[in-house]
Amino acid sequence: MSLMQDAHLHAKPAASAAQRPAVLAWAEFDNPAAWAVAAILLVMPLIANGFFLIEIFGTTLILGIIALSLMFLAGYGGMVSLMQLTIAGFAGYMVAVFGMSGSANISLGWPWWLATPMALALATAFGTLGGALAVRTEGIYTIMITLAIGAAFYYFTNQNWAIFNGHTGINTIVTPQFWGVDWRSDIPFYYVILATAALCYFVVLYVSRAPFGLALQGVRDNPRRMAALGFNVNAHRVAAYALASLIAALGGVLQVWNYRQISPARSRSNAASTF
């Protein structure tokens, strides 16, 4: 009888330990401030006009999605990338090239539900390839490689007229319309942005607590020890770049839908920003 009681007592801590990641995953929602912010964001269309709704809150959320991709790489992977805005710009260009726009001689005229997945896939592949080059270096060299990729893409789009229409860019990009709703109108588009931002946040939150995320944090802290334990350090880093590239690409698609145009005119912080 005592042996059964001891086994029962030892089983309860094991069960609680197994439930601990789930408790940690939902710890953020114990904060009343988080619920207050979520409620304000949900009712924002009722208290803000179109300018503040899209140009202030919507643009902030879009840039926050792109910044989230950088935060995931730097915070959980220990890799600083200066090409996240470039990946977002690449996704925006692909939406314009494969979709419909005012430049009929450049755009292929695909419907948005084909052009958008293609843009996301190509932008993710572009960022993953850049990450595969960057992970073979460390420190300042990683930063310089990602900066070089961004700068090269900026000058390429600025001088290429056959695909990217040079410094003029591509204008009058067609935005999604289905179920009888113009999803670029202020209120529907705001909720599209908000839903995408929330999805990206919860994906990063989940991945950071999943085995891959925990292994990535181990690679960040001590790559030699993780390699000695049998983990493929470069593979984890490249996979992190792939996920971050997908998140940045989502922000790029939303940004090009927001402004309905894309060009290589602006650069920020010496990194090529294609918006």
Side-chain angles (χ1 to χ4, degrees):
M1 183 69 179
S2 60
L3 291 176
M4 294 179 62
Q5 290 178 346
D6 291 341
H8 180 69
L9 291 175
H10 286 292
K12 294 179 71 175
S16 62
Q19 296 173 355
R20 195 170 300 151
V23 173
L24 290 175
W26 292 96
E28 289 81 358
F29 299 97
D30 292 336
N31 187 357
W35 288 102
V37 170
I40 292 173
L41 290 175
L42 286 173
V43 302
M44 188 59 64
L46 301 177
I47 58 179
N49 59 26
F51 175 80
F52 283 95
L53 190 64
I54 299 300
E55 297 302 324
I56 304 300
F57 294 101
T59 302
T60 300
L61 288 172
I62 292 173
L63 294 178
I65 293 172
I66 302 174
L68 178 64
S69 69
L70 175 59
M71 183 281 297
F72 174 74
L73 282 177
Y76 295 108
M79 299 170 289
V80 178
S81 171
L82 296 183
M83 66 177 183
Q84 298 310 109
L85 275 172
T86 301
I87 296 169
F90 185 90
Y93 264 115
M94 292 300 100
V95 169
V97 170
F98 286 99
M100 293 179 282
S101 71
S103 302
N105 59 324
I106 295 178
S107 299
L108 298 179
W110 292 11
W112 72 269
W113 48 270
L114 285 178
T116 301
M118 178 63 72
L120 293 175
L122 291 177
T124 301
F126 173 75
T128 305
L129 179 60
L133 297 175
V135 298
R136 301 182 183 278
T137 61
E138 293 182 0
I140 189 65
Y141 301 104
T142 302
I143 299 175
M144 294 305 296
I145 285 179
T146 56
L147 175 60
I149 293 173
F153 183 73
Y154 167 77
Y155 285 109
F156 178 70
T157 55
N158 197 49
Q159 298 174 10
N160 181 278
W161 291 87
I163 300 176
F164 300 106
N165 206 28
H167 60 80
T168 302
I170 302 175
N171 302 309
T172 320
I173 298 171
V174 177
T175 54
Q177 295 186 21
F178 60 97
W179 294 339
V181 178
D182 180 7
W183 291 94
R184 179 50 191 85
S185 59
D186 292 341
I187 294 179
F189 188 56
Y190 171 77
Y191 281 117
V192 169
I193 297 172
L194 183 61
T196 305
L199 175 64
C200 292
Y201 171 76
F202 286 117
V203 167
V204 171
L205 187 66
Y206 173 79
V207 170
S208 66
R209 290 165 169 79
F212 168 74
L214 297 177
L216 184 64
Q217 295 172 58
V219 169
R220 173 201 63 193
D221 295 336
N222 197 325
R224 289 186 177 181
R225 178 174 295 180
M226 294 298 290
L229 291 174
F231 289 90
N232 191 325
V233 172
N234 283 343
H236 279 76
R237 288 174 172 171
V238 172
Y241 267 100
L243 177 58
S245 298
L246 177 59
I247 295 173
L250 286 170
V253 171
L254 293 174
Q255 189 79 316
V256 78
W257 284 348
N258 184 22
Y259 292 112
R260 298 188 181 93
Q261 65 89 30
I262 186 168
S263 67
R266 303 173 188 173
S267 55
R268 301 170 185 167
S269 301
N270 296 323
S273 168
T274 54
F275 294 114

